[in-house]
Amino acid sequence: MKLYLKRDFFAEKEHLLAEEGELRATAFRFSTGVEALKIENSRGYFVILPFQGQQLWDFHFADRDLKMVTTIKEPKPTGDFLETYGGFLYHCGVLCMGVPDDKHPHHGELPNHPFDEAYLEIGCDETGSYIAVGGSVTNRVAFTHAYRFSPRCRLDSGATTVTVDVKVENLRSDPMEYMYLCHINFRPMDGARLIDSVPRDKEHIKVHRVIPESLPETSKQALRSYMDELENDPTVMDRVGAEGQCYLPEICFTLRYATDRDHRGYTLQYLPGKGGCYVSHPTDVLPYGIRWISRTSHEDAMGMVLPATAEHLGYDYAKEQGQIKYLDANSSVSFSLELGFLTEKEVKPILFKIESLLREEAVSKSIERKKQATNK
């Protein structure tokens, strides 16, 4: 069953829109006027903005508030990224993503783009019953570009993770440049460990040494010193909340993943004995993992991986570095991510998979070094 949504379905008072077994969809408006759907099962819920970028605004599973802490408590009906930056997941792109420049807004046009259509879907397939929210937006500029962006977020019965599907279509009869970043903003869990299929060396982890001029000199020096530590030993960031860490106001990293045969990379913020936050993403389409950590008195965010087509430094940088992707005429690209929270039992096979991938990567590198030595 698929129900196409209209803005007048939403009122200030919450009301049940659809229900099937443990799956429920509740419609409401924030006090700011932004339409929202609360999608829930027996183990938690997410709140999505169907007509404003299809952002996931809230994310709560396994009795945990999982989204970052910010001072922005409700979404605002604005296209300005930072004015309404309080959500859990933002789609970023398509013409650009990352830092703003003279031609592109912060993280591109997608994060708060008004959607042309949105729908609610309830169904059952070989994996069981599910509830999903999706939609599409078409962006056209004469003689320049025309594309359709179509995301879909699915929650299964009994699940604590969601599947986010994305499709980008080039609607013109000439090739189109595109960029994409999935901005996933978990909440830090002090005492947790960051575990992922990224080897801990400079080849696979890059620290972006960006220090705001507005910081006091003592804060600048603290940030420089900590960045020096990270460059010498990336494992110092692996224990969340460890003494001596400095993410005021933020640090960004570029991660390059060791992947499995399905071209998937895996990331955990794991709290031993209690489970952890989880992301699996496709490295063939999204080869860059951007890690963004911010810990201030007003913001607390663990962007443990923002899967992306390029680094986060804007269009011109990506163009210079050969990181822009292309869609052929009248073609499309589709991919999916899985993210959420895993219990201690559910996290074990992911830990094993990550250990296996890192071990395979180390063996491969060792063989390559021996070949190079022999050739010399």
Side-chain angles (χ1 to χ4, degrees):
M1 182 275 288
K2 184 180 286 189
L3 172 66
Y4 284 89
L5 303 171
K6 296 183 178 180
R7 291 182 183 269
D8 57 10
F9 287 3
F10 300 82
E12 291 185 7
K13 185 177 180 181
E14 289 189 18
H15 65 277
L16 186 63
L17 196 62
E19 182 177 35
E20 178 66 32
E22 68 175 70
L23 304 171
R24 293 165 55 91
T26 305
F28 67 98
R29 286 182 188 269
F30 285 95
S31 66
T32 56
V34 176
E35 299 90 351
L37 285 172
K38 182 179 182 181
I39 305 298
E40 57 188 312
N41 65 8
S42 59
R43 299 181 71 185
Y45 66 86
F46 66 83
V47 172
I48 188 169
L49 313 184
F51 295 109
Q52 186 163 318
Q54 294 233 334
Q55 303 168 17
L56 300 191
W57 184 259
D58 273 327
F59 203 80
H60 184 107
F61 286 94
D63 298 319
R64 288 180 176 272
D65 289 320
L66 295 171
K67 81 161 183 175
M68 66 177 177
V69 177
T70 77
T71 58
I72 298 174
K73 303 308 178 186
E74 292 188 331
K76 298 178 182 178
T78 175
D80 187 287
F81 183 81
L82 293 180
E83 282 187 11
T84 186
Y85 184 48
F88 175 73
L89 183 150
Y90 295 80
H91 299 287
C92 301
V94 162
L95 304 179
C96 181
M97 62 83 182
V99 297
D101 55 38
D102 293 338
K103 298 178 182 178
H104 305 98
H106 201 148
H107 279 306
E109 68 282 0
L110 283 182
N112 293 289
H113 205 308
F115 265 53
D116 302 324
E117 69 173 23
Y119 62 83
L120 173 70
E121 179 183 352
I122 297 179
C124 186
D125 59 17
E126 64 279 1
T127 65
S129 57
Y130 67 87
I131 186 168
V133 178
S136 67
V137 57
T138 300
N139 188 305
R140 298 178 188 269
V141 174
F143 306 105
T144 305
H145 67 265
Y147 71 80
R148 182 181 297 113
F149 178 77
S150 305
R152 178 175 178 265
C153 186
R154 166 175 164 154
L155 174 65
D156 289 356
S157 293
T160 54
T161 62
V162 301
T163 301
V164 178
D165 298 314
V166 172
K167 183 177 184 179
V168 183
E169 301 169 81
N170 179 10
L171 304 179
R172 286 181 64 90
S173 56
D174 46 5
M176 182 187 84
E177 296 179 335
Y178 79 94
M179 301 176 72
Y180 177 81
L181 175 144
C182 192
H183 212 305
I184 310 165
N185 303 318
F186 284 101
R187 181 173 302 193
M189 300 188 302
D190 286 335
R193 291 159 49 205
L194 293 177
I195 302 175
D196 47 58
S197 56
V198 179
R200 290 303 191 260
D201 57 44
K202 291 184 178 180
E203 182 182 350
H204 293 85
I205 299 177
K206 179 168 70 175
V207 182
H208 292 277
R209 298 184 69 99
V210 178
I211 299 176
E213 283 300 320
S214 58
L215 286 179
E217 190 56 42
T218 53
S219 299
K220 288 181 182 178
Q221 186 53 47
L223 205 51
R224 287 191 198 100
S225 297
Y226 185 52
M227 288 177 174
D228 289 342
E229 286 188 55
L230 289 168
E231 287 187 332
N232 291 328
D233 181 9
T235 64
V236 301
M237 69 171 157
D238 290 346
R239 179 72 66 179
V240 179
E243 185 177 353
Q245 292 183 348
C246 178
Y247 296 106
L248 176 65
E250 63 182 3
I251 296 181
C252 290
F253 309 79
T254 296
L255 310 178
R256 301 304 297 264
Y257 280 72
T259 62
D260 62 17
R261 294 178 182 177
D262 295 322
H263 305 289
R264 308 290 296 186
Y266 300 89
T267 310
L268 292 166
Q269 182 186 203
Y270 172 54
L271 200 56
K274 298 183 179 179
C277 305
Y278 167 68
V279 176
S280 165
H281 73 279
T283 58
D284 51 346
V285 184
L286 307 175
Y288 295 88
I290 308 303
R291 175 162 291 167
W292 169 69
I293 305 175
S294 175
R295 309 207 69 177
T296 76
S297 58
H298 300 288
E299 295 85 21
D300 205 15
M302 174 53 71
M304 59 185 193
V305 60
L306 319 181
T309 58
E311 291 178 281
H312 61 294
L313 301 176
Y315 174 85
D316 289 340
Y317 177 88
K319 189 76 170 180
E320 291 169 1
Q321 300 298 316
Q323 296 175 3
I324 300 289
K325 283 187 171 280
Y326 293 85
L327 275 177
D328 291 335
N330 301 305
S331 68
S332 65
V333 60
S334 298
F335 52 90
S336 66
L337 304 95
E338 185 183 5
L339 53 103
F341 191 87
L342 300 178
T343 64
E344 182 69 13
K345 180 179 179 180
E346 294 164 336
V347 87
K348 292 300 184 184
I350 306 302
L351 289 171
F352 179 78
K353 181 182 285 287
I354 289 172
E355 290 171 3
S356 298
L357 289 173
L358 292 176
R359 190 162 51 246
E360 290 171 9
E361 181 74 7
V363 170
S364 176
K365 287 295 181 184
S366 177
I367 294 172
E368 183 63 27
R369 284 193 295 270
K370 289 179 182 179
K371 285 183 179 179
Q372 291 175 354
T374 301
N375 292 334
K376 288 180 181 179

